[in-house]
Amino acid sequence: MVERVSAPVWRTLGATRGGSGHEKTTVAIVGGGPVGLTAALDLARRGHRIVLLTRLDYIAAGSKAICFSKRSLEIFDQLGVAAPLRAKGVTWNIGKVFRGQDSEPIYQFDLLPIKDQKQPAFINIQQYYVELELIEALKKHPNVELRFGHTVSGLEQNDDGVELAVSTADGPYLLTATFVLACDGARSNMREYLDLSFEGSVFEDQFLIADIRVRQERPAERWFWFDPPFNPGQSALLHKQPDDVWRLDFQLGSHLDRAQAVHPDHVESLVRGMLGRHVEFEPVWYSIYNFRCCRMRSFVRGRVIFAGDAAHLVSPFGARGCNGGIADAYNLGWKLDRILTGRADAALLDSYDHESTRSADENIRQATRATHFMSAKGTAERALRDAVLSLAREHEFARPFVNSGRLSCAVDYPDSPLNCADLEAWAAGPAPGSPAIDAPFGTGYLSEKLGSDFVLLSNGFTIEPIVGLAQLQADAADSSLLARYDLTPGSCYLIRPDQYVAGRFKHPSALKLKAALRRAGGES
Amino acid sequence: MTQFISTVNLIDHDEIFERLVALHRGLDEAQSREVDARLILLLINHIGDPRIIAAAFEAARPRDQATAQSS
């Protein structure tokens, strides 16, 4: 997203004192949003020395990202912060699509078609709660330094490291790091310092976000309207957040005066149109935006690695921005760990570039299609879109055409250089390059057993212990896991430290497994 | 594999054409567009096979665009 109207303070953190002369660290992370903080926490639990630099000395108000996906929750669970976020957040799985003045949805969808997984499809929670939780978790790691109010003003890199020039209220200093993660958002300075391009397309339609506080009884579902009476010819979206806050999102079209659009009278008429004439509410955060879909050509530049909005931007419909960024951070953590501990060659970063650009492309493709569908231009495009909507009420076949945003889920990497291609036919289960799907396992869930190392998930096959490889045995009692993975007796899956499948074998051998492990682990 | 059929594949052409045209009788431009769009979507779903649908899209293009777009 671009051109936000406001970024007031939610919680003051205070500028971190100090930083002087010429310091050294293993990893410097630039940016204190959910992406930078997630990357920091993943590397922190792996024991690396981290300095996180963020320009702000406060957590920004404004709900910003609110929808956190199952994949993000699974990542947060691995990092030990999912439980408090879920306790605070609003859990939801159902989306409803309305058209015109009909009070009945034309269509509804369940984003968690496969039940019995530890995490729901989504929780809604204000971004600042997520940031606070991650900051609190990071403070427990003595190997992490969080520096608020520290701005990177320039950088230089050579074969051994990156030198950052940092400015603070107390004066400037230099910080040299073996690797630098640039997680400094859509208007990334790091991108500018390295003079890297950021290409894509700008969408002309403007949208209004109105976060309001209102007490009302409504189900925790995502409601989307095409052409509602309160916003004729445009679309609208409603999401429930914690603390009686609701996110209302209105498409405004492309010809609009911005000042007029955020004027309280204009916003109020839209809010009352959606929620009822007499509704009592209090404004929390109003913002006008239009958006771009773009990405950097490559996310790795020497020892500077880009993640999140700094590397790619998408339209917000589908919650693919923040969730996509968290996926980047988590894709990178274990790879960087292996490189820093000498277990993998630096070329393992190529697979980060491959997988994260693939993920960005998929997110941009999906978000662009959704945007085209909801802001259909021209008579033919509009007629086809409207035909889909009119058919959808009556005919089941037309419902999958309705695109109000395809919601974020983990992206597959079918062509990843880390994959070991299937040698046998599988009736089910995640293919190499796909994320492991959760299932009941023993008395808990599989996702709880997949740790920070490689995992061999098998039904009866074992090999001698290997450092960095945990072995999990499933048996007949884990029937839904066996079915979800087509884990017939003797077969096995090799799962990466980020819970993606590296390879799978109906007829495994120690030789095949070790080769797959070397490949996926980027061993030099 | 089923091929896209562009040879004669039905009988009673006059009857079908008359009924197709009759669908639009009394409709304005916008209504006609809507009927066409609905009809296309219904038929596309009935066909189902993406290769057949792609071949039909190709055959439907204005002739002066057909080669440029398919290259």
Side-chain angles (χ1 to χ4, degrees), chain A residues 153-189:
Chain A
S153 52
L155 71 94
E156 223 171 85
Q157 63 174 323
N158 55 41
D159 291 345
D160 305 321
V162 187
E163 193 174 277
L164 298 173
V166 185
S167 59
T168 74
D170 298 329
Y173 67 96
L174 292 175
L175 175 66
T176 297
T178 311
F179 285 100
V180 171
L181 311 191
C183 311
D184 55 341
R187 283 165 294 199
S188 168
N189 286 330

Side-chain angles (χ1 to χ4, degrees), chain A residues 134-340:
Chain A
L134 290 165
I135 288 170
E136 292 302 323
L138 280 164
K139 284 182 177 166
K140 293 174 191 146
H141 290 274
N143 49 328
V144 176
E145 266 191 79
L146 300 173
R147 297 186 180 178
F148 305 110
H150 288 221
T151 306
V152 174
S153 52
L155 71 94
E156 223 171 85
Q157 63 174 323
N158 55 41
D159 291 345
D160 305 321
V162 187
E163 193 174 277
L164 298 173
V166 185
S167 59
T168 74
D170 298 329
Y173 67 96
L174 292 175
L175 175 66
T176 297
T178 311
F179 285 100
V180 171
L181 311 191
C183 311
D184 55 341
R187 283 165 294 199
S188 168
N189 286 330
M190 297 293 286
R191 215 171 51 215
E192 242 166 64
Y193 299 151
L194 290 168
D195 198 21
L196 298 171
S197 66
F198 200 49
E199 287 159 10
S201 44
V202 177
F203 292 84
E204 284 176 3
D205 273 50
Q206 302 202 77
F207 291 80
L208 165 72
I209 284 181
D211 278 356
I212 59 167
R213 186 166 285 117
V214 53
R215 287 193 167 279
Q216 57 173 356
E217 291 306 315
R218 273 175 194 268
E221 296 170 344
R222 177 189 195 259
W223 284 24
F224 190 96
W225 287 264
F226 287 101
D227 189 26
F230 54 83
N231 197 21
Q234 310 286 354
S235 64
L237 176 64
L238 177 66
H239 269 294
K240 184 180 187 175
Q241 302 176 51
D243 308 334
D244 288 320
V245 174
W246 296 74
R247 157 80 45 99
L248 285 59
D249 199 323
F250 301 94
Q251 183 186 7
L252 298 176
S254 52
H255 308 289
L256 203 91
D257 180 69
R258 297 171 67 87
Q260 218 174 351
V262 279
H263 192 279
D265 291 349
H266 179 247
V267 181
E268 192 172 324
S269 77
L270 287 166
V271 171
R272 294 192 184 287
M274 182 189 279
L275 300 179
R277 248 179 32 196
H278 302 295
V279 68
E280 280 183 36
F281 70 93
E282 176 195 327
V284 173
W285 188 62
Y286 295 165
S287 171
I288 296 268
Y289 65 94
N290 57 2
F291 47 79
R292 293 178 288 166
C293 280
C294 35
R295 78 159 166 95
M296 299 173 70
R297 205 163 295 158
S298 164
F299 298 175
V300 180
R301 183 65 169 231
R303 292 174 171 274
V304 181
I305 305 156
F306 289 81
D309 281 1
H312 47 76
L313 283 180
V314 294
S315 81
F317 299 97
R320 289 168 179 272
C322 193
N323 289 305
I326 290 166
D328 290 347
Y330 198 64
N331 185 294
L332 183 58
W334 69 276
K335 294 176 181 175
L336 213 47
D337 173 54
R338 290 183 72 83
I339 294 166
L340 288 168

